[in-house]
Amino acid sequence: MSTTNPNLWTILSESKRIIKAHSRHFLALSVIFLLPISFSVLVFPTLQQLLLLHDDTVAKSFLSHIHTSTSDQRRRRQTLIILSISYAVFALVFSLCAVASITYSVFHGFYGRPVKLVSSLYSILHSFFPLLITTLVCQLLVSALVALFASSLFLLVKLLHNILGFDYSSPFFVSFSLLPFIGLLLSLLYLQVIWALVSVIVVSEQQSPSCWAWGVRPFKRSAHLIKGFQSVALSIYLYFAICAGILILSSWGLAAAFGGTDGWKSWAFVLQIVVTSALLTLLFLYLAAANTVLYMCCKATHGELAMEIAEEFAREYVRLPFDDGKVPHLVSVVYTT
């Protein structure tokens, strides 16, 4: 793969090549980790809606399949809270396992190494907790940023109202208040771009002495590697975000269109859930692969990949009997920027 000015389609093409070369392997990982996530993303809103229905008979007819009591509205809300927490834990665990195993597989597939399912699953043991800690750190940083913007907006609103006497309902005041929200969205998008390689770094460099597998260091490492590739990282994020958004929103819209108390029982509802889940699974797979390929491109541009490839050649070199007495050959790896 050429690392000269890669773009979105170059990244996707290389991702497709790696996935196609190990199609059964990635199919197994997708079925184990990604398909349950995709299915739950599409079905969970329907379950929430049924839990919040005021008609007890409807809720009981559905929740009887999962042995959940729905005697009154308060009990249903408690059940919804428990179910939401359980879903969040389930989605987090399966997402981290998917990222760890797929990133490991794509990373080794990039070098042409044999990729085995057992090795990919075993890699989860080494990457799960570093990924979990990194995810928690990321959430803390994002939450701190949101809290900072919210507090700044609150103080600004109070200042404008008390000192300048602006009316809360005035169009000018409402328009002016939207500016901090736009700034927050742009800031979050910027962080998404410069932190695009964090999960790949945690999985691929956890044994490297130059990069910790947890804490703040992967974020600094990602911001360093992504220099010069911000537009590519942004295009990857927007492409997959838009595609996933279209699939999810269309599925929710179709589910709502079926309507009725027994809409979730119809074959049409089941069919669209199955088809959309499969497409969403494929999308998640290519997203994980694309981030890993982008990581390799960034390393090549920064001059880090050449040495690794040279070491890979040295590791694979086998001394033949007729090599004795001959001048050793020097293999050099040349890359362009």
Side-chain angles (χ1 to χ4, degrees):
M1 180 192 67
S2 174
T3 59
T4 305
N5 298 325
N7 52 37
L8 172 63
W9 308 117
T10 305
I11 299 295
L12 293 179
S13 177
E14 180 65 14
S15 302
K16 180 181 179 181
R17 182 192 67 80
I18 296 175
I19 293 174
K20 186 177 180 180
H22 309 278
S23 56
R24 293 183 179 180
H25 174 84
F26 287 105
L27 176 61
L29 292 178
S30 299
V31 171
I32 295 173
F33 298 117
L34 295 179
L35 185 58
I37 298 175
S38 303
F39 179 79
S40 63
V41 167
L42 302 177
V43 172
F44 186 70
T46 302
L47 181 60
Q48 280 184 312
Q49 183 180 5
L50 290 172
L51 284 171
L52 293 176
L53 287 176
H54 294 286
D55 188 353
D56 289 347
T57 59
V58 175
K60 288 180 180 179
S61 66
F62 179 80
L63 294 176
S64 60
H65 296 282
I66 57 175
H67 308 289
T68 305
S69 174
T70 56
S71 58
D72 51 29
Q73 185 176 1
R74 181 180 178 182
R75 187 63 178 272
R76 286 199 303 272
R77 293 187 181 276
Q78 292 176 349
T79 303
L80 179 61
I81 294 175
I82 296 175
L83 191 62
S84 299
I85 295 175
S86 301
Y87 170 73
V89 173
F90 159 80
L92 176 62
V93 171
F94 272 70
S95 297
L96 295 181
C97 291
V99 169
S101 58
I102 294 174
T103 300
Y104 174 88
S105 301
V106 174
F107 179 79
H108 287 275
F110 182 89
Y111 288 106
R113 300 169 184 167
V115 179
K116 298 181 179 180
L117 182 61
V118 176
S119 300
S120 298
L121 296 177
Y122 184 75
S123 68
I124 298 175
L125 298 177
H126 298 282
S127 303
F128 182 83
F129 286 105
L131 280 173
L132 178 61
I133 295 174
T134 305
T135 301
L136 294 178
V137 171
C138 180
Q139 294 301 319
L140 288 175
L141 294 176
V142 172
S143 299
L145 178 63
V146 173
L148 178 62
F149 268 87
S151 59
S152 301
L153 178 60
F154 177 78
L155 294 176
L156 181 62
V157 168
K158 285 294 185 181
L159 180 65
L160 292 176
H161 178 71
N162 295 333
I163 298 179
L164 302 180
F166 281 116
D167 186 10
Y168 289 130
S169 59
S170 65
F172 174 79
F173 185 82
V174 174
S175 301
F176 184 80
S177 300
L178 290 177
L179 294 179
F181 288 103
I182 297 176
L184 176 60
L185 292 177
L186 293 177
S187 300
L188 293 177
L189 183 61
Y190 173 75
L191 292 180
Q192 174 64 39
V193 170
I194 65 173
W195 292 349
L197 306 178
V198 167
S199 60
V200 185
I201 291 171
V202 172
V203 175
S204 304
E205 300 186 7
Q206 55 179 308
Q207 300 298 329
S208 174
S210 62
C211 181
W212 299 339
W214 51 272
V216 181
R217 189 69 180 273
F219 298 95
K220 296 181 180 179
R221 171 78 167 147
S222 177
H224 167 70
L225 285 178
I226 207 67
K227 291 179 180 178
F229 290 86
Q230 291 93 336
S231 60
V232 181
L234 178 62
S235 62
I236 291 175
Y237 172 74
L238 292 179
Y239 175 79
F240 285 100
I242 292 174
C243 291
I246 292 174
L247 287 176
I248 294 174
L249 292 178
S250 61
S251 177
W252 290 350
L254 290 173
F258 291 125
T261 58
D262 294 330
W264 60 274
K265 297 180 180 179
S266 65
W267 281 105
F269 175 82
V270 175
L271 180 61
Q272 69 91 10
I273 288 293
V274 171
V275 173
T276 309
S277 296
L279 294 176
L280 204 57
T281 298
L282 186 64
L283 204 63
F284 289 158
L285 173 62
Y286 269 85
L287 174 59
N291 285 333
T292 307
V293 172
L294 177 61
Y295 165 77
M296 304 304 293
C297 291
C298 293
K299 291 190 68 175
T301 301
H302 286 80
E304 300 180 13
L305 191 61
M307 184 60 66
E308 292 186 7
I309 295 178
E311 293 176 355
E312 189 72 16
F313 273 105
R315 190 181 301 113
E316 296 296 330
Y317 176 77
V318 178
R319 188 176 184 83
L320 301 177
F322 49 80
D323 283 341
D324 294 336
K326 293 185 178 181
V327 178
H329 294 80
L330 177 64
V331 178
S332 61
V333 179
V334 180
Y335 63 94
T336 59
T337 58

